[in-house]
């Protein structure tokens, strides 16, 4: 919705949000926004949650492509699928879906974090790699040099990597495949030069620079410049610093102490006055803009660590410019949770994961009860804000969250995981407006 087309109703706390005008979001996934979050459709019925857990626009369908009936990595608990990607280039491009699983020490029994693979041609799912010392695997991206980068989202490592025993937080790894076989792992490398951090989002630009984040309430955004394209074993890590001392405006990338970043990059960033944000999580690049989901950011009160969240944009120029691209109260409504006496207001709350659609829109999923999926239009008028933010889907499973939204080779199909489902059956789904003659089960 355009910033000028909505306003909170007079009796806001007693009214479910309704869009001020009927709109059609054009594009390859053209849709009319749903009218509200799934507050009134919340259920614990496994028959519903294992078949149609999302409220979605008319003309779209939803299908499970892999759940714990196909692959059950942690039989005593949820499988916690987090991020998705496919083999975007190379032989068999688009055939294999990869997922990280966010298991943490404390599960009984604990077998370690895992990366799984789903053959989208046959429907077969399997564990691709698993290690006992991997904690809370989260971020995942296919590289232009045809490897997988994945990382641990842990602030304080309980099980340090044996090759980097002094690292205090999570590590970033690279999975290398056998030649012309993106389903067979040849080697896995740890890359401490990209920082010991609570990793989630990972992005790569056209020059091969890698961007990562630190998911803490005072987390920063980082850029790694390798000495050699495609070789992450050496290079320089930088942190983003907004020059005026606040959180938006002209910024710079500041070089960090490379000995310190391998132990605790958070300390290295603080030492140079890097700008901190409230729980930066996922990253997504669209052309020359890098977007970051800030889960608890309060754009009006930087001291508040319990804000509704926001989406940050960073113009990737020689002098980066930082803006709030999506901000509750500016170009999207605030959420007001329903209570026993009120119905609530659908709005933006706790953005977590991001995806870019092939037609240049930013897709956003919340880490929130009745997790919503939003679509943000590009900033065509140049004011730094998205020109419209629209509600695409909402999750009926209040115990769960949607995560890992991703567009693969098919621009009409959105992948999304459902994590810690109240049914105990976590799953990977597709939502599509494309006719499917057969879905593998």
């Amino acid at each position: 919705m355009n910033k000028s087309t909505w306003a909170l109703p007079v009796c806001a706390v007693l009214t479910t949000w309704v869009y001020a005008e009927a709109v059609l979001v054009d594009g390859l996934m053209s849709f009319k926004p749903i009218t509200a979050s799934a507050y009134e459709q919340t259920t614990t019925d496994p028959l519903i949650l294992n078949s149609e857990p999302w409220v979605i626009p008319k003309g779209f369908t939803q299908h499970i492509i892999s759940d714990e009936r196909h692959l059950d990595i942690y039989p005593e608990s949820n499988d916690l699928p987090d991020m998705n990607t496919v083999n975007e280039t190379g032989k068999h491009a688009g055939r294999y879906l990869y997922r990280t699983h966010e298991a943490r020490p404390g599960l009984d029994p604990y077998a370690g974090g895992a990366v799984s693979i789903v053959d989208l041609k046959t429907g077969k799912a399997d564990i691709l790699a698993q290690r006992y010392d991997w904690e809370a695997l989260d971020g995942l991206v296919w590289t232009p040099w045809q490897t997988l980068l994945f990382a641990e989202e842990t602030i304080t490592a309980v099980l340090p990597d044996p090759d980097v025993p002094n690292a205090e937080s999570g590590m970033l790894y690279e999975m290398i495949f056998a030649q012309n076989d993106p389903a067979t792992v040849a080697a896995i490398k740890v890359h401490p030069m990209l920082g010991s951090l609570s990793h989630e989002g990972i992005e790569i630009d056209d020059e091969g620079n890698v961007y990562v984040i630190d998911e803490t309430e005072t987390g920063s955004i980082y850029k790694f410049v390798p000495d050699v394209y495609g070789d992450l074993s050496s290079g320089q890590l930088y942190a983003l610093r907004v020059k005026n001392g606040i959180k938006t405006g002209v910024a710079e990338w500041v070089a960090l102490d490379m000995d310190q970043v391998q132990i605790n990059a958070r300390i290295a960033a603080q030492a140079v006055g890097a700008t901190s944000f409230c729980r930066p999580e996922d990253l997504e690049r669209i052309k020359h803009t890098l977007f970051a989901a800030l889960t608890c950011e309060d754009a009006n009160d930087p001291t508040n660590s319990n804000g509704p969240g926001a989406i940050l944009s960073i113009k990737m120029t020689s002098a980066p410019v930082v803006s709030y691209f999506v901000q509750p109260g500016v170009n999207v409504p605030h959420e007001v949770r329903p209570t026993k006496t009120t119905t609530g207001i659908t709005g933006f709350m706790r953005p977590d994961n991001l995806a870019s659609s092939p037609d240049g829109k930013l897709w956003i999923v919340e880490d929130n009860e009745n997790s919503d999926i939003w679509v943000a239009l590009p900033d065509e008028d140049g004011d730094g804000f998205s020109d419209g933010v629209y509600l695409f889907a909402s999750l009926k499973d209040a115990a769960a969250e949607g995560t890992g939204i991703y567009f693969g080779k098919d621009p009409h199909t959105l992948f999304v995981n459902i994590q810690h489902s109240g049914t105990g059956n976590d799953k990977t789904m597709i939502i599509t407006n494309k006719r499917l003659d057969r879905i593998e089960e």
Side-chain angles (χ1 to χ4, degrees):
M1 84 208 103
N2 190 279
K3 296 186 288 294
S4 62
T5 63
W6 69 269
L8 292 180
V10 174
C11 299
V13 296
L14 300 176
T15 308
T16 299
W17 172 262
V18 178
Y19 287 95
E21 58 184 62
V23 296
L24 175 68
V25 180
D26 290 324
L28 296 169
M29 293 277 280
S30 177
F31 69 96
K32 288 187 177 181
I34 64 173
T35 57
S37 296
Y39 303 140
E40 297 180 4
Q41 299 182 59
T42 299
T43 181
T44 58
D45 185 345
L47 293 177
I48 296 174
L49 298 183
N50 287 328
S51 58
E52 296 184 335
W54 292 96
V55 178
I56 54 178
K58 184 177 180 180
F60 285 78
T61 57
Q62 53 188 306
H63 305 276
I64 294 173
I65 60 170
S66 182
D67 64 8
E68 296 189 37
R69 298 169 297 180
H70 301 88
L71 175 66
D72 195 0
I73 301 174
Y74 309 101
E76 302 301 319
S77 63
N78 294 70
D79 273 7
L80 302 171
D82 202 322
M83 293 293 199
N84 294 308
T85 193
V86 300
N87 53 319
E88 296 174 344
T89 55
K91 191 170 184 179
H92 306 299
R95 174 170 175 173
Y96 298 105
L97 177 73
Y98 309 100
R99 303 175 296 179
T100 48
H101 294 264
E102 199 180 358
R104 298 175 183 267
L107 294 180
D108 186 19
Y110 179 68
V115 179
S116 67
I117 183 171
V118 181
D119 187 333
L120 297 175
K121 183 176 181 180
T122 67
K124 184 179 184 330
D126 207 345
I127 296 173
L128 186 62
Q130 187 172 21
R131 263 178 36 184
Y132 184 79
D133 63 286
W134 286 346
E135 305 176 48
L137 293 187
D138 196 326
L140 180 69
V141 69
W142 181 261
T143 72
W145 47 95
Q146 298 181 24
T147 65
L148 274 181
L149 300 184
F150 62 100
E152 299 173 303
E153 183 202 348
T154 181
I155 296 174
T156 303
V158 176
L159 301 168
D161 186 295
D163 292 329
V164 197
N166 294 324
E168 296 176 354
S169 290
M171 288 283 96
L172 184 141
Y173 294 88
E174 183 170 23
M175 185 179 294
I176 300 166
F177 294 96
Q179 187 173 8
N180 293 323
D181 185 0
T184 300
V185 180
I188 296 175
K189 298 180 179 179
V190 62
H191 288 305
M193 293 288 185
L194 280 88
S196 175
L197 294 165
S198 181
H199 284 279
E200 181 162 333
I202 310 168
E203 258 295 356
I204 304 169
D205 67 21
D206 293 337
E207 286 73 46
N209 303 317
V210 181
Y211 300 82
V212 296
I213 58 84
D214 185 22
E215 196 205 327
T216 70
E217 291 181 356
T218 55
S220 293
I221 298 170
Y222 300 78
K223 174 183 179 179
F224 180 75
V225 179
D227 292 334
V228 177
Y229 179 92
D231 180 356
L232 306 184
S233 63
S234 65
Q236 178 64 54
L237 189 66
Y238 298 81
L240 185 72
R241 183 172 68 191
V242 181
K243 290 185 177 182
N244 59 12
I246 59 176
K247 296 198 177 188
T248 58
V250 178
E252 59 188 340
W253 295 102
V254 186
L256 304 179
D257 181 325
M258 291 306 293
D259 291 328
Q260 179 64 59
V261 302
Q262 299 176 69
I263 301 170
N264 190 323
R266 190 174 308 115
I267 292 175
Q270 291 168 352
V272 299
T275 303
S276 64
F277 301 95
C278 198
R279 288 183 60 192
E281 298 209 34
D282 201 10
L283 294 173
E284 191 69 30
R285 181 172 71 95
I286 300 178
K287 295 181 180 178
H288 299 294
T289 302
L290 183 70
F291 298 95
L294 310 177
T295 295
C296 56
E297 187 82 355
D298 187 335
N300 297 312
D301 181 3
T303 66
N304 180 18
S305 62
N306 193 31
I311 303 299
L312 199 73
S313 68
I314 304 165
K315 296 294 184 184
M316 300 166 68
T317 56
S318 57
V321 178
V322 180
S323 305
Y324 288 119
F325 182 69
V326 177
Q327 181 181 336
V330 175
N331 59 350
V332 70
H334 286 275
E335 176 168 352
V336 177
R337 294 292 304 164
T339 68
K340 291 182 179 180
T341 58
T342 67
T343 56
I345 300 171
T346 294
F348 197 73
M349 180 70 72
R350 297 174 62 85
D352 191 335
N353 289 172
L354 307 174
S356 57
S357 59
D359 54 4
K361 299 180 182 67
L362 184 70
W363 292 60
I364 306 157
V365 65
E366 301 171 338
D367 177 1
N368 190 25
E369 289 187 14
N370 296 113
S371 176
D372 293 333
I373 299 176
W374 298 84
V375 179
L377 304 184
D379 170 26
E380 300 289 358
D381 59 14
D383 65 354
F385 291 98
S386 165
D387 291 344
V389 186
Y390 298 93
L391 184 60
F392 174 76
S394 188
L395 189 58
K396 303 171 191 175
D397 188 346
E401 64 171 296
T403 185
I405 52 174
Y406 170 75
F407 284 92
K409 302 297 288 185
D410 181 356
H412 296 276
T413 299
L414 176 72
F415 291 92
V416 60
N417 294 325
I418 295 178
Q419 187 184 89
H420 50 80
S421 171
T423 67
N425 181 30
D426 285 356
K427 54 192 72 73
T428 300
M429 304 192 68
I430 56 173
I431 302 175
T432 182
N433 61 0
K434 180 180 178 181
R435 182 178 178 271
L436 300 179
D437 295 319
R438 182 170 68 95
I439 298 294
E440 295 291 345
E441 292 289 354

